[in-house]
Amino acid sequence: MTYLEENYNFDYSSQNIQNIIKKISEDSSKDTSLDFAIKAYYYIRDAWPYNPYRISLKPNDWRASKISTHTTGHCLDKAVLLISVLRAKNIPARLGLAKVKNHIAVDDIIEKFGNDVLVPHGYVELYLNGKWVKATPAFNKSLCEKMNVAPLDFDGTTDSLFQAYDSSGTSVFMEYLEDYGTFDHVPLTYMFDLMKDTYPPLRENKIEIGMVLNLKDL
């Protein structure tokens, strides 16, 4: 199955990813695929605090082994990590891309770009117990608590996308506007085209593939 294979982005035989797998599995050597998937979700969610401001447009930066060396990550970074450890444990997984509204903790990006649409958002689809389920390990627990949003849980059987409301249950927090489908790799050029169509400042600042984009500098 394609969604089990190692490739340039999901280089799970690398020592960095194997070390992550050992940390996830250290409590039990008899985990089922479901057990491992749930543990992997929570580990990736919380071990790399969410940081939406640095986006690399360098192909080499989109290898899971390279991403794992960072201390923080955005939704796409963390999706790549989760997919890699899942495939390593023989759990089919693929990258999903979407357009979302009302993202967490990005007020200055909204002010800079003039809207509250975030493109592309990355999530994970994984195959467990005969069906595909969605998981979104983007927002670490400590950030959610700071933003008055319940951390997003994952049980391995139902889709886990984004909190629709804040902890009060009254304010709309997250909305999916468009789903761009799933991918067996990181489609960097396609992702950048989506970003340029959504954010004119990227064109105005002549941002190109091969650069590292720090959104705070735009």
Side-chain angles (χ1 to χ4, degrees):
M1 179 181 288
T2 302
Y3 301 114
L4 285 172
E5 294 175 359
E6 183 172 27
N7 62 27
Y8 183 84
N9 302 119
F10 311 126
D11 57 338
Y12 56 72
S13 64
S14 64
Q15 191 59 54
N16 285 358
I17 300 304
Q18 290 299 311
N19 289 342
I20 293 172
I21 292 169
K22 288 179 182 178
K23 291 179 181 178
I24 294 169
S25 302
E26 63 185 7
D27 293 336
S28 174
S29 60
K30 298 182 179 180
D31 283 346
T32 65
S33 292
L34 178 62
D35 293 334
F36 180 83
I38 293 172
K39 288 182 178 180
Y41 170 84
Y42 284 107
Y43 185 83
I44 300 298
R45 188 193 73 178
D46 293 329
W48 283 267
Y50 179 65
N51 175 12
Y53 300 108
R54 180 189 182 278
I55 299 177
S56 177
L57 299 173
K58 296 181 177 181
N60 187 56
D61 284 345
W62 288 93
R63 297 172 69 86
S65 57
K66 182 73 173 291
I67 292 171
S68 69
T69 65
H70 300 162
T71 57
T72 62
H74 50 67
C75 56
L76 291 157
D77 290 330
K78 297 169 80 169
V80 170
L81 289 175
L82 182 55
I83 291 167
S84 297
V85 300
L86 291 172
R87 289 190 180 192
K89 298 294 283 187
N90 207 40
I91 301 171
R94 57 197 184 192
L95 176 66
L97 299 178
K99 176 190 292 185
V100 297
K101 188 175 183 179
N102 296 335
H103 219 286
I104 190 171
V106 289
D107 288 345
D108 49 349
I109 295 178
I110 291 171
E111 181 180 355
K112 200 178 297 286
F113 286 148
N115 63 56
D116 54 2
V117 172
L118 268 278
V119 174
H121 160 64
Y123 63 90
V124 176
E125 277 197 346
L126 59 157
Y127 194 77
L128 286 170
N129 297 326
K131 67 175 184 178
W132 289 99
V133 291
K134 295 179 174 66
T136 310
F139 301 142
N140 49 293
K141 183 177 180 180
S142 59
L143 175 62
C144 288
E145 291 173 347
K146 180 179 179 180
M147 300 301 296
N148 192 34
V149 178
L152 190 62
D153 292 325
F154 178 61
D155 63 9
T157 61
T158 55
D159 289 344
S160 179
L161 288 170
F162 269 133
Q163 303 92 330
Y165 300 93
D166 63 12
S167 294
S168 70
T170 57
S171 298
V172 175
F173 182 72
M174 178 58 60
E175 178 184 2
Y176 274 69
L177 301 178
E178 187 173 354
D179 195 305
Y180 300 115
T182 57
F183 302 82
D184 181 48
H185 62 290
V186 177
L188 185 56
T189 299
Y190 176 64
M191 288 161 44
F192 186 47
D193 286 342
L194 291 173
M195 294 174 66
K196 287 188 293 183
D197 289 344
T198 306
Y199 308 125
L202 297 184
R203 297 192 299 271
E204 295 166 3
N205 286 275
K206 298 182 179 179
I207 304 300
E208 299 177 350
I209 291 288
M211 302 173 67
V212 174
L213 176 61
N214 188 332
L215 299 181
K216 290 186 175 181
D217 293 338
L218 291 179

